[in-house]
């Protein structure tokens, strides 16, 4: 039974709910995502799915939880989640801008690649909120002694971009994160079977216990590629609750598959589109992110 939540924003200051991306998904081959909605704002108001026009039980008869919340911080001192997968869709105007640039079929490759990089910068910023290890101390400023807090360089964030479009989305990671290690994964998708094939693996045999990992996969469509990547990390000792997925665009089939295999996972995405076509492309989507980023 799938069990995941979609969160329009991780910013606790926002009191308005942005439900523009939460739609009655129309999937011809894939069961709809959970639609038993509970919406909470930072003012602790609650709205049920019925008031939004969503059915409380999907058409396949299996009751699932699909929670939409507006705050990342706990509400009424209660945990935000237990073992549900959380999907964060920040409604920042800059994120919407770069998503719009990516959607435009007239956007040339250099501009498309830059838009991916800028979107990645914003999503990584959101994903790293209250997540990075820090050290505290005192330093001498020009006018006195100040208490300070730094990101701990002894615990670098592990970044795993999935080639090749992942390189564009992760381009500005080092401008956000002071300490990182990057391991590349090359995974291609068979155009007929839609199954993933690993052609490059730079992951170490084992990652240190407690490693914080950002997996960067721009397009979460059918979910085969991202699931393969996360399984490889799990085999190397990484707790998937220490993994955050960064994507430019996601679709329900991938989110459904992730929620079934990795409860507690956090996914940060620029937007969610309603469907995937028979070729495994997200509709309306961006097209092929790798081709459009590199012009080949």
């Amino acid at each position: 039974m799938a069990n995941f939540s979609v969160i329009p924003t991780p910013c606790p200051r926002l009191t308005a709910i942005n439900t523009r991306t939460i739609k009655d998904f129309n999937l011809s081959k894939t069961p709809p995502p959970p639609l038993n909605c509970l919406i909470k704002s930072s003012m602790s108001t609650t709205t049920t799915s019925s008031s939004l026009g969503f059915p409380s039980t999907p058409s396949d008869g299996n009751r699932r939880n699909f929670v939409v919340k507006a705050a990342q911080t706990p509400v009424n001192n209660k945990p935000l989640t237990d073992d549900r997968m959380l999907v964060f869709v920040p409604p920042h105007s800059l994120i919407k801008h770069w998503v719009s640039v990516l959607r435009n079929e007239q956007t040339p490759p250099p501009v498309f690649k830059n838009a991916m990089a800028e979107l990645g910068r914003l999503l990584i910023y959101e994903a790293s909120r209250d997540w990075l290890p820090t050290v505290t101390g005192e330093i001498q400023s020009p006018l006195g002694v100040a208490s300070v807090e730094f990101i701990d360089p002894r615990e670098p964030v592990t970044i795993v971009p999935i080639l090749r479009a992942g390189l564009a989305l992760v381009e500005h990671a080092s401008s956000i994160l002071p300490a990182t290690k990057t391991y590349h994964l090359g995974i291609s998708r068979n155009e007929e079977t839609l199954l993933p094939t690993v052609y490059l693996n730079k992951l170490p045999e084992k990652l240190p216990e407690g490693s914080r990992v950002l997996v960067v996969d721009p397009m979460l469509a059918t979910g085969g590629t991202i699931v393969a990547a996360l399984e490889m990390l799990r085999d190397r000792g990484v707790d998937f609750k220490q993994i955050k997925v960064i994507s430019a665009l996601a679709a329900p089939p991938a989110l459904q598959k992730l929620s079934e295999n990795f409860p507690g996972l956090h996914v940060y995405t620029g937007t969610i589109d309603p469907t995937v076509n028979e070729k495994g492309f997200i509709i309306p989507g961006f097209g092929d992110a790798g081709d459009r980023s590199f012009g080949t």
Side-chain angles (χ1 to χ4, degrees):
M1 183 176 73
N3 197 10
F4 67 95
S5 309
V6 173
I7 301 180
T9 173
C11 179
R13 292 187 297 275
L14 290 179
T15 58
I17 303 294
N18 178 357
T19 57
R20 182 178 59 83
T21 57
I22 310 304
K23 304 173 182 178
D24 188 6
F25 299 114
N26 181 19
L27 301 177
S28 59
K29 296 184 178 180
T30 304
L35 293 174
N36 178 26
C37 298
L38 170 66
I39 299 182
K40 292 184 179 179
S41 73
S42 58
M43 300 296 290
S44 300
T45 56
T46 300
T47 305
T48 62
S49 60
S50 58
S51 65
L52 295 174
F54 291 131
S56 61
T57 304
S59 60
D60 61 4
N62 295 322
R63 189 176 185 87
R64 308 185 185 97
N65 291 325
F66 189 100
V67 182
V68 184
K69 299 180 181 179
Q72 185 181 23
T73 54
V75 178
N76 295 335
N77 296 320
K78 295 179 181 179
L80 183 65
T81 184
D82 36 37
D83 61 349
R84 285 173 293 190
M85 188 181 82
L86 300 183
V87 181
F88 295 83
V89 186
H92 197 293
S93 57
L94 285 173
I95 289 179
K96 294 176 183 178
H97 169 80
W98 294 119
V99 166
S100 299
V101 172
L102 294 170
R103 287 204 190 277
N104 188 355
E105 66 176 359
Q106 300 300 321
T107 300
V111 178
F112 187 93
K113 184 172 180 289
N114 178 70
M116 287 284 284
E118 293 299 332
L119 179 59
R121 187 206 302 268
L122 294 166
L123 291 172
I124 291 171
Y125 173 84
E126 293 289 350
S128 60
R129 186 190 301 270
D130 300 325
W131 189 56
L132 303 175
T134 60
V135 291
T136 59
E138 292 184 340
I139 59 172
Q140 181 69 44
S141 80
L143 298 178
V145 176
S147 298
V148 295
E149 186 172 355
F150 292 100
I151 302 301
D152 192 343
R154 297 168 299 179
E155 299 184 41
V157 174
T158 298
I159 300 177
V160 182
I162 298 179
L163 309 185
R164 60 182 168 156
L167 293 175
L169 195 61
V170 81
E171 184 172 324
H172 292 324
S174 61
S175 71
I176 294 293
L177 303 172
T180 63
K181 287 184 177 181
T182 301
Y183 301 101
H184 295 91
L185 268 181
I187 304 178
S188 61
R189 187 176 67 178
N190 186 293
E191 294 184 0
E192 294 182 359
T193 66
L194 303 182
L195 296 177
T197 300
V198 178
Y199 64 86
L200 178 70
N201 180 5
K202 290 296 184 178
L203 293 174
E205 289 298 319
K206 198 77 173 176
L207 284 164
E209 184 178 354
S211 292
R212 293 169 174 83
V213 182
L214 287 179
V215 181
V216 183
D217 186 6
M219 315 294 278
L220 304 181
T222 63
T225 297
I226 187 64
V227 167
L230 294 180
E231 287 177 344
M232 294 170 70
L233 287 167
R234 183 163 56 188
D235 292 343
R236 285 159 173 79
V238 179
D239 181 356
F240 51 78
K241 292 186 179 180
Q242 287 289 83
I243 297 174
K244 297 194 177 186
V245 174
I246 305 294
S247 73
L249 178 63
L255 297 178
Q256 189 79 17
K257 190 174 294 184
L258 285 171
S259 72
E260 292 168 357
N261 289 277
F262 304 98
L265 183 70
H266 287 188
V267 177
Y268 288 77
T269 184
T271 190
I272 301 174
D273 276 356
T275 189
V276 173
N277 68 14
E278 66 279 0
K279 294 183 178 180
F281 283 95
I282 300 173
I283 304 298
F286 303 154
D288 189 306
D291 289 353
R292 296 191 67 194
S293 292
F294 299 101
T296 56

